Amino acid sequence: MPTMLTDVFRGHPIHLPHSHQPDFTSLPELPDSYTWTSKDDPLFTAPLSPQAAVENIPLIDLNHPDAANQIGHACRTWGAFQIANHGVPLELLQGIEFLTGSLFQLPVQRKLKAARSDTGFAGYGVARISSFFNKKMWSEGFTITGSPLNNFRKLWPKFHLNYCDIVEQYEEQMQKLASKLMWLSLKSLGVSEGDIKWATVSSDLNWAQSALQLNHYPVCPEPDRAMGLAPHTDSTLLTILYQNNTAGLQVFRDDLGWVTVPPVPGSLVVNVGDLFHILSNGLFKSVIHRARVNQIRSRLSVAFLWGPRSDTKISPVPKLVSPDESPLYRSVTWTEYLRTKATHFNKALSMIRNHREE
Ligand SMILES: C=C1C[C@]23C[C@@]1(O)CC[C@H]2[C@@]12CCC[C@@](C)(C(=O)O1)[C@H]2[C@@H]3C(=O)O
Ligand SMILES: O=C(O)CCC(=O)C(=O)O
Ligand SMILES: [Fe+2]
């Protein structure tokens, strides 16, 4: 029986004190434990790209006849892009935003009834990557995988069924979209369905699995010294992110520094994750990104984290490996990778890299 995402961290506890979460709204100034400097994160003071107005992640119209090549180019250069005409109904995007807003508005004692346990996967808490940093992040999160029924019943004793319904519909749409995006980007590399046995096209998409990460970044008294979500890459194949109408997401490019991804109403942000970087033999970049906060408006985001089934070994597509070289990475399942990441964080990719002889 393959490990489901819910079981990934069983036996790999991470102690994160969710119950110490402050009531963000009542803090007139930033506590020292939330004040970041470049000592806490080397990229904290990396420059904000002055060119961000001209150079930004592309906005791609999925109905454009050349969409596959545009996506492929964005995956190689940025590891991220935005999409319009993606087919996800606007009411559903509004529905998931409403759910997320309602959840984080609940009193902290109610949210803690659904707190993620040390070995658990789903529930309310601080970002999993918090354990790798000395300072705290100005955010709170809620992770969903499989049915949210038990947790939602604790949060909303009366209305949980309506909220479960929204999550189910949202996940269904996201699954279809993620698979479409994967095949479009692979097409740009000349890789087709026959080249990847584990991802056979079946309408139930049971070769994939996913999690939803709801994020809330409250208004912050000193945003320049705070961090919403520290820099990281996602461990996924692809992540599809919905952000409300408040900027905060930034992506990092070695040549440009931090670039803010402006919210475009109705569009979605797509990030290449570490597993897609591996599958593409390093051709697609898994993008380093972070979330900053602001003094005026709170921010919400919903990340659809998408990867293969737990028993699937991901390795570079043979077609993308030149015959006289070994693949850049050894094969790994999503479960193995999430556990490696939970222990070694941003060194996880280099730990599964095959070292080539010069
Ligand atoms: C499947 C997963 C990816 C994730 C860890 C998780 O187990 C569930 C939450 C995901 C998330 C969202 C916020 C950023 C991130 C790095 C984190 O701490 O939790 C990602 C994790 C990831 O992509 O590695
Ligand atoms: O809130 C955002 O814009 C980023 C969220 C994110 O990176 C994540 O949930 O993995
Ligand atoms: Fe992320």
Side-chain angles (χ1 to χ4, degrees), residues 14-24 34 108-109 111-131 136 139-143 213:
I14 307 184
H15 181 61
L16 297 168
H18 309 305
S19 53
H20 295 173
Q21 197 79 327
D23 175 6
F24 290 105
Y34 286 85
V108 90
Q109 286 314 321
K111 290 183 275 195
L112 287 173
K113 283 186 198 289
R116 198 176 64 224
S117 71
D118 283 3
T119 52
F121 188 94
Y124 174 74
V126 299
R128 203 158 252 298
I129 52 172
S130 300
S131 60
K136 293 180 183 169
S139 60
E140 52 183 344
F142 193 95
T143 313
Q213 173 71 23

Side-chain angles (χ1 to χ4, degrees), residues 3 28 56 80 95-96 199 210 262 295 314 344:
T3 329
N56 209 314
I96 201 79
S210 64
Q295 209 163 3
I314 297 294
H344 302 283

Side-chain angles (χ1 to χ4, degrees), residues 9 121 127-129 143 213 229 232 234-235 305 334 338:
F9 301 117
F121 188 94
R128 203 158 252 298
I129 52 172
T143 313
Q213 173 71 23
L229 186 60
H232 64 278
D234 293 342
S235 312
L305 303 144
W334 198 10
L338 279 169

Side-chain angles (χ1 to χ4, degrees), residues 232-345:
H232 64 278
T233 58
D234 293 342
S235 312
T236 53
L237 282 169
L238 288 174
T239 301
I240 305 178
L241 186 97
Y242 172 76
Q243 52 176 340
N244 74 347
N245 203 10
T246 305
L249 173 65
Q250 296 181 334
V251 297
F252 189 75
R253 273 240 326 227
D254 291 334
D255 53 342
L256 296 174
W258 288 107
V259 178
T260 300
V261 178
V264 177
S267 75
L268 295 163
V269 181
V270 183
N271 290 340
V272 169
D274 295 340
L275 291 188
F276 211 22
H277 171 79
I278 296 170
L279 188 74
S280 67
N281 199 34
L283 289 174
F284 291 161
K285 269 192 185 168
S286 55
V287 64
I288 298 178
H289 55 287
R290 70 178 181 184
R292 297 306 303 268
V293 292
N294 77 86
Q295 209 163 3
I296 302 164
R297 293 151 61 98
S298 69
R299 176 163 184 273
L300 299 171
S301 73
V302 179
F304 176 77
L305 303 144
W306 187 74
R309 271 173 62 124
S310 299
D311 51 355
T312 301
K313 287 264 185 198
I314 297 294
S315 46
V317 179
K319 232 186 191 173
L320 303 176
V321 182
S322 64
D324 46 353
E325 280 184 342
S326 50
L328 213 49
Y329 296 97
R330 64 176 171 79
S331 67
V332 67
T333 65
W334 198 10
T335 303
E336 287 161 357
Y337 191 71
L338 279 169
R339 288 179 179 156
T340 308
K341 191 105 176 217
T343 325
H344 302 283
F345 187 45

Side-chain angles (χ1 to χ4, degrees), residues 104-237:
F104 290 114
Q105 263 172 29
L106 292 170
V108 90
Q109 286 314 321
R110 182 89 69 84
K111 290 183 275 195
L112 287 173
K113 283 186 198 289
R116 198 176 64 224
S117 71
D118 283 3
T119 52
F121 188 94
Y124 174 74
V126 299
R128 203 158 252 298
I129 52 172
S130 300
S131 60
F132 297 100
F133 296 91
N134 292 324
K135 293 296 167 87
K136 293 180 183 169
M137 302 181 205
W138 196 260
S139 60
E140 52 183 344
F142 193 95
T143 313
I144 298 170
T145 191
S147 168
L149 184 67
N150 282 340
N151 273 336
F152 278 13
R153 199 184 273 129
K154 294 178 199 157
L155 297 174
W156 297 288
K158 288 203 186 111
F159 307 111
H160 55 276
L161 290 179
N162 297 354
Y163 287 125
C164 287
D165 211 38
I166 297 177
V167 166
E168 200 178 305
Q169 287 179 40
Y170 192 75
E171 287 182 338
E172 199 183 310
Q173 291 283 329
M174 287 292 133
Q175 265 151 25
K176 278 195 260 164
L177 181 58
S179 143
K180 177 174 172 175
L181 292 168
M182 179 176 100
W183 289 117
L184 281 173
S185 31
L186 287 172
K187 191 173 159 200
S188 75
L189 297 179
V191 174
S192 57
E193 282 155 29
D195 297 314
I196 304 182
K197 289 187 208 72
W198 52 265
T200 46
V201 193
S202 65
S203 54
D204 59 5
L205 287 174
N206 68 359
W207 50 269
Q209 59 178 336
S210 64
L212 265 192
Q213 173 71 23
L214 316 181
N215 300 304
H216 175 220
Y217 307 92
V219 166
C220 179
E222 288 179 77
D224 294 347
R225 304 203 300 148
M227 176 64 80
L229 186 60
H232 64 278
T233 58
D234 293 342
S235 312
T236 53
L237 282 169

